[in-house]
């Protein structure tokens, strides 16, 4: 399961596929591709979306905090174990990693946080 956002989401999804796993994508809104600024991010996204066994798109026409929260919660509801690349800091907006980790923990899902000590997010 992945939201296929640029960065860690796409990297993790690529590794799952490379290891022979099955990818399911949960997208926050219609037209999510347009939110990816770099051509290489859009290209990776399209490749991953095509490789996904299933793609679920939340019923939102445009980006919003609620769309991102819904996509993160839907991902947690469908997963057995959440792997989160997260520095442990509060979410920058509703639906950020901190919110999704809290949601997973409240649902009793195992959570593994991946973060390299000393690295700062930008």
């Amino acid at each position: 399961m992945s939201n296929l956002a640029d960065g860690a989401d796409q990297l993790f999804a690529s590794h799952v596929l490379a290891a022979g796993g099955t990818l399911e994508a949960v997208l926050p809104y219609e037209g999510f591709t347009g939110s990816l600024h770099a051509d290489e991010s859009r290209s990776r996204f399209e490749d991953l979306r095509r490789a996904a066994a299933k793609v679920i798109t939340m019923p939102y026409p445009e980006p919003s905090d609620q769309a991102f929260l819904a996509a993160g919660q839907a991902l947690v509801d469908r997963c057995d174990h959440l792997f989160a690349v997260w520095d442990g800091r509060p979410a920058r907006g509703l639906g950020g990693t901190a919110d999704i980790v809290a949601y997973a923990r409240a649902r009793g899902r195992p959570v593994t946080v991946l973060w390299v000590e000393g690295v700062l997010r930008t």
Side-chain angles (χ1 to χ4, degrees):
M1 301 297 307
S2 175
N3 294 135
L4 298 183
D6 192 19
D9 285 17
Q10 288 184 2
L11 181 63
F12 191 82
S14 295
H15 284 287
V16 165
L17 290 170
T22 301
L23 173 64
E24 292 187 19
V26 180
L27 308 180
Y29 59 91
E30 293 292 334
F32 180 66
T33 310
S35 71
L36 303 172
H37 301 291
D39 288 341
E40 64 189 47
S41 295
R42 285 191 300 277
S43 177
R44 272 193 315 268
F45 171 84
E46 291 299 337
D47 290 345
L48 291 166
R49 187 173 67 167
R50 279 191 296 275
K54 185 174 189 176
V55 177
I56 300 162
T57 303
M58 297 292 96
Y60 294 90
E62 58 192 29
S64 67
D65 286 349
Q66 190 58 43
F68 289 106
L69 179 62
Q73 290 175 336
L75 184 144
V76 168
D77 291 342
R78 289 168 172 75
C79 78
D80 296 323
H81 189 124
L82 180 68
F83 290 86
V85 177
W86 180 46
D87 63 357
R89 297 182 66 203
R92 293 180 180 171
L94 185 64
T97 305
D99 295 331
I100 304 311
V101 168
Y103 181 80
R105 288 177 172 158
R107 301 282 174 293
R109 293 289 191 285
V111 175
T112 298
V113 174
L114 307 168
W115 195 260
V116 176
E117 186 70 32
V119 173
L120 301 175
R121 70 177 172 180
T122 56

